[in-house]
Amino acid sequence: MLVDKYPNLIALRTFSKIYGLAALRVGYGIGSEKLIEVLHKVKLPFNVNELGLRAAQEALDDTEHLNYSKEQNDQGKKWLESKLKSSKFFSPVPSQANFLLVKTEFDAEKLAGELLKQGVIIREGTSFGMPDHFRITIGSKSDNEFFIEKLSNCEVNLK
């Protein structure tokens, strides 16, 4: 593992996305013993509750749900990528995550505002120094279809 090779490295993981436990705010870190000792000195005393811990333990054993979530994300990502690529205004960046970073020919901040009016929240890239990009989380089939429908409306409004 890389954390064994680099004592100043910590790997962080969350149960938010693929495990579906975002509301419980459960995660963990793996690092050198020395690094973890330093972090223990500054961590809050009650940072994870019993419900969160039990849910995380169960989630680790639920490989069926994990595989299903990954499959759904992969299918949704492929579908969204194909829809975005079919437009001359959007270019998705290859992704291994549960979201897509998309280059747009529009002002991403203005696009985000237009989508928000239609009930869709995207994260525009201005704060990352990428004003011509936005980030969209891959959702359920109906969520993804709703996003593409509303995005098509924006293409008409922003041209």
Side-chain angles (χ1 to χ4, degrees):
M1 251 185 127
L2 287 175
V3 294
D4 295 328
K5 187 174 179 181
Y6 301 99
N8 63 337
L9 178 69
I10 186 166
L12 302 174
R13 296 290 181 261
T14 176
F15 285 83
S16 296
K17 304 294 187 209
I18 199 162
Y19 292 103
L21 300 178
L24 297 178
R25 313 304 293 168
V26 180
Y28 62 93
I30 300 171
S32 70
E33 187 175 341
K34 187 175 180 180
L35 182 58
I36 299 301
E37 284 176 9
V38 171
L39 292 175
H40 272 291
K41 292 178 184 177
V42 295
K43 86 171 186 68
L44 298 173
F46 305 109
N47 55 354
V48 180
N49 63 35
E50 182 70 19
L51 178 61
L53 287 173
R54 286 183 185 251
Q57 288 168 338
E58 291 296 321
L60 287 171
D61 292 333
D62 192 352
T63 55
E64 184 177 332
H65 176 76
L66 183 70
N67 292 333
Y68 173 79
S69 295
K70 179 157 180 9
E71 180 182 310
Q72 292 300 301
N73 185 73
D74 291 346
Q75 288 175 5
K77 184 176 4 179
K78 282 181 187 172
W79 187 84
L80 278 175
E81 285 174 331
S82 71
K83 291 295 184 183
L84 290 164
K85 286 177 182 177
S86 70
S87 168
K88 65 181 178 180
F89 302 109
F90 306 106
S91 302
V93 176
S95 173
Q96 297 297 313
N98 68 320
F99 63 88
L100 290 173
L101 181 66
V102 182
K103 184 176 183 339
T104 178
E105 298 300 316
F106 302 119
D107 177 292
E109 193 170 358
K110 189 172 180 183
L111 177 63
E114 288 296 315
L115 283 169
L116 187 58
K117 291 177 194 174
Q118 298 182 66
V120 175
I121 299 172
I122 62 171
R123 185 161 191 186
E124 50 85 17
T126 305
S127 61
F128 304 115
M130 303 168 77
D132 58 348
H133 286 73
F134 66 88
R135 175 186 155 158
I136 182 70
T137 299
I138 297 156
S140 67
K141 184 175 189 236
S142 61
D143 291 339
N144 295 339
E145 289 170 348
F146 183 79
F147 165 67
I148 291 297
E149 175 191 335
K150 301 307 179 185
L151 189 63
S152 296
N153 294 343
C154 289
E155 284 185 38
V156 172
N157 295 339
L158 291 173
K159 284 183 191 175

